[in-house]
Amino acid sequence: LVLLVAVGLLLATATANIAGVQLARAATRRREMAVRSALGAGGSRLARQTLVENLLLGLAGGAVGLLLALVSERALPSLLPADFPRVSDIAVSTPVFFFALGVTLVASVVFGMVPALQARRINLVVSLTAGAASGSALGRSRTSRARALIMGAQVGVACVLLVGASLLIRSFIAMAAVDRGYEASSVLTARLASPGGLFTSQRRAAVATAVLDALRVRPDVAQAAFTSVLPLGPSDSTMTFSIPPATSAGEQIQVTTGIRVISPGYFEAMGMQLREGRFFGPADSANSQPVLVVNRAFAEKYASIGRIGQKVPVTMYERDAWQVAGIVENIRTRSGLTEPVLPEMFLVHTQVPTGLGSEPTFVIRTNRDPELLIGTLRQIVTRADPSATIESVMTMEQRVMESLSRPRLYALVLGGFAGFALLIAGVGLFGVLSYSVTQRSRELGVRAALGARPLDIVRLVVREGLVITLGGAVLGLGTAVVLTRWLASFLFGVAAHDIVTFATVPAVLLAVAAVASFVPALRAARVDPLRALRAN
């Protein structure tokens, strides 16, 4: 819905821009229309002619747009997130064609309506009088006021899109920079796969251990480990068990926690922080006291069993109660960045009686570009077991960016729309002021003849552009205050009514307006008074 609104606003901006151009063109054709009217053409016929001309222009633009859609149809799926719904259904189908045709017709009628109505109200005496084509300053005539209002509306739409895009881009930057509890740089990840998943848990553990032993002796590998569930992976493993009440009058407490089976060295490979206790080590074997490591969320939520040395009844494994050996800092897994971190506990694979029940994922911290290790990793896995392979090979940084694919898509799309809207508004303002300077050449010549300096004329034209922009910005900011509430659920680390964004966007608009106004202003300052007065 947000993207659909953005598309509609961009369409409105383009339509308003063309309406302003057509309105200026209609003003230059006033004498032509007056002649046609004097020769017998009625107001309805003139209006129909204007509408048909605009319709042809709109259909030509719609055809170009449809052609661009056909060209980009194949490339679009590759730009979308992997989990984007119904990607295979994206096509320029018959309904899409008729929708585009309908939008084109409506837009053509809308941007042709004002010039058509103007053509119906032709004043023959005024229009056929010499000098009638001379324009006036923006705001001094009905046509000039209409152009100024249209231009202000364009600026307002651009302001709305810029505010939305700025919020989404800042939110994406905050998401990318947030502390996830681990260090993603220089880490390669890959899942061990067996033919048809036929490895037994013991065989799977043996192959994974052999791969780790081969990796750890390499000078370019700082640490290597594996895990049953990787942060940002496709699934999480959870379990629920009960713990006895703290007092005789209390009730049993239901514990729900994520569970990960890992190898020693996993925390070091992920760059996770130890808060209390210790990590797993070589001494944690099948014959030693079963131990586990919990995250801070587990220790805080289940304080009675989450402290160092406490016993945790991991009932899904047929062993004595497991003892808490360490507490690590929370990490962000598949849960959203705004959601609370879930309790988790980590078991070392050597103490799990069932071995590795699922295909493990290797986590390898390197001393160089991790992608350079991919070929070596494949060779090591093949040597460990010729039937084994690796899949889902990605750096951890790539996994992080993949998890942000939707926020990145929304930020880029809305940012692109905002950029186009700003370009359209800047070009429109340039066109309106250029036309105004051309139409006001006599007035500007008189001002120069009466002693106005070139700097005074530049200020006059630039001030007109800034007044239009300021009015549009005020309208756009008021609209953005209402519309950005829809974006609140998409934002992270930035408020929907962020003061910095709402202050920066008008400044950008005014800067663009100043640049767009400067060229027409310079041309106005170079008007030769004698030539302007003779021409009029």
Side-chain angles (χ1 to χ4, degrees):
L1 289 177
V2 171
L3 295 181
L4 201 60
V5 170
V7 172
L9 291 175
L10 186 60
L11 177 64
T13 304
T15 301
N17 196 19
I18 299 176
V21 173
Q22 292 296 86
L23 195 60
R25 183 169 179 264
T28 63
R29 299 177 63 191
R30 191 176 301 156
R31 180 183 292 272
E32 173 198 341
M33 293 299 180
V35 171
R36 290 178 181 272
S37 180
L39 294 176
S44 298
R45 184 170 181 178
L46 294 177
R48 284 199 304 272
Q49 176 185 339
T50 304
L51 281 175
V52 168
E53 291 174 353
N54 288 315
L55 190 61
L56 292 175
L57 179 64
L59 288 174
V64 173
L66 198 61
L67 180 62
L68 291 175
L70 287 169
V71 171
S72 61
E73 179 182 335
R74 293 184 178 180
L76 186 59
S78 64
L79 303 177
L80 298 176
D83 61 341
F84 203 84
R86 302 182 64 181
V87 173
S88 59
D89 294 339
I90 295 177
V92 182
S93 58
T94 302
V96 172
F97 170 79
F98 282 107
F99 175 80
L101 179 61
V103 170
T104 299
L105 293 175
V106 171
S108 302
V109 171
V110 169
F111 72 69
M113 189 62 69
V114 176
L117 293 176
Q118 188 181 41
R120 288 178 59 91
R121 294 195 295 263
I122 289 293
N123 187 315
L124 295 181
V125 175
V126 174
S127 299
L128 293 175
T129 301
S134 298
S136 57
L138 290 173
R140 296 183 186 176
S141 69
R142 183 180 299 175
T143 302
S144 298
R145 285 196 298 271
R147 292 201 304 270
L149 288 174
I150 291 173
M151 190 61 245
Q154 292 180 59
V155 173
V157 171
C159 180
V160 172
L161 291 174
L162 281 171
V163 168
S166 299
L167 291 175
L168 287 176
I169 291 173
R170 291 185 60 194
S171 177
F172 171 74
I173 293 174
M175 287 181 179
V178 70
D179 182 11
R180 287 175 168 77
Y182 53 84
E183 179 56 53
S185 61
S186 301
V187 174
L188 179 67
T189 64
R191 186 170 67 249
L192 177 67
S194 57
L198 298 179
F199 277 178
T200 63
S201 58
Q202 289 75 18
R203 180 58 183 164
R204 194 178 291 121
V207 173
T209 302
V211 172
L212 292 185
D213 291 341
L215 285 171
R216 286 169 177 164
V217 299
R218 293 185 57 84
D220 55 349
V221 174
Q223 189 56 263
F226 62 74
T227 176
S228 60
V229 181
L230 189 71
L232 307 177
S235 63
D236 284 334
S237 177
T238 60
M239 67 174 297
T240 301
F241 57 89
S242 300
I243 59 175
T247 63
S248 59
E251 298 181 354
Q252 281 194 336
I253 300 175
Q254 286 291 113
V255 175
T256 300
T257 176
I259 183 168
R260 299 171 189 260
V261 178
I262 64 175
S263 68
Y266 170 75
F267 300 114
E268 296 90 331
M270 288 294 295
M272 296 172 60
Q273 297 180 4
L274 178 68
R275 293 181 60 87
E276 294 182 46
R278 65 177 179 85
F279 290 147
F280 295 125
D284 297 315
S285 64
N287 300 320
S288 63
Q289 164 65 42
V291 294
L292 53 79
V293 175
V294 300
N295 67 347
R296 179 167 57 87
F298 186 101
E300 292 174 351
K301 186 172 183 178
Y302 306 115
S304 61
I305 60 172
R307 297 190 301 272
I308 300 296
Q310 293 294 312
K311 298 296 182 67
V312 179
V314 186
T315 54
M316 65 183 296
Y317 300 117
E318 297 177 357
R319 298 198 63 172
D320 297 334
W322 299 57
Q323 189 176 51
V324 177
I327 301 175
V328 295
E329 188 56 71
N330 295 331
I331 64 171
R332 298 283 180 178
T333 56
R334 297 184 67 233
S335 58
L337 294 176
T338 58
E339 299 175 7
V341 177
L342 299 177
E344 282 189 310
M345 58 186 185
F346 302 83
L347 311 180
V348 64
H349 78 100
T350 54
Q351 294 185 336
V352 176
T354 57
L356 288 176
S358 61
E359 296 174 335
T361 299
F362 294 111
V363 179
I364 309 163
R365 180 167 294 278
T366 68
N367 299 320
R368 56 174 183 166
D369 184 354
E371 293 187 347
L372 299 177
L373 193 65
I374 295 176
T376 302
L377 177 60
R378 293 187 189 277
Q379 295 174 3
I380 292 175
V381 170
T382 301
R383 285 199 297 266
D385 190 310
S387 64
T389 58
I390 55 173
E391 56 187 28
S392 187
V393 182
M394 301 173 66
T395 66
M396 201 62 204
E397 288 181 321
Q398 289 171 339
R399 291 187 184 275
V400 171
M401 294 308 296
E402 188 179 70
S403 71
L404 299 176
S405 57
R406 280 178 179 269
R408 179 177 56 191
L409 172 68
Y410 301 148
L412 289 177
V413 171
L414 202 60
F417 288 170
F420 275 117
L422 184 62
L423 177 63
I424 291 172
V427 171
L429 185 63
F430 173 82
V432 166
L433 293 178
S434 295
Y435 174 78
S436 175
V437 167
T438 301
Q439 295 296 92
R440 296 170 59 192
S441 58
R442 180 182 179 85
E443 173 200 340
L444 296 174
V446 170
R447 288 177 181 269
L450 294 177
R453 297 173 301 172
L455 182 60
D456 297 328
I457 296 177
V458 168
R459 287 175 178 171
L460 175 68
V461 177
V462 171
R463 184 170 63 246
E464 289 181 356
L466 294 180
V467 167
I468 294 174
T469 303
L470 188 60
V474 171
L475 175 64
L477 289 178
T479 306
V481 168
V482 178
L483 294 183
T484 49
R485 290 184 298 180
W486 292 1
L487 290 178
S489 61
F490 295 93
L491 301 179
F492 174 80
V494 58
H497 297 155
D498 180 63
I499 299 299
V500 174
T501 299
F502 278 77
T504 303
V505 167
V508 171
L509 287 171
L510 290 173
V512 171
V515 173
S517 306
F518 193 66
V519 174
L522 286 181
R523 194 173 69 183
R526 297 192 184 103
V527 170
D528 185 352
L530 293 179
R531 183 176 299 176
L533 293 174
R534 287 198 196 100
N536 292 276

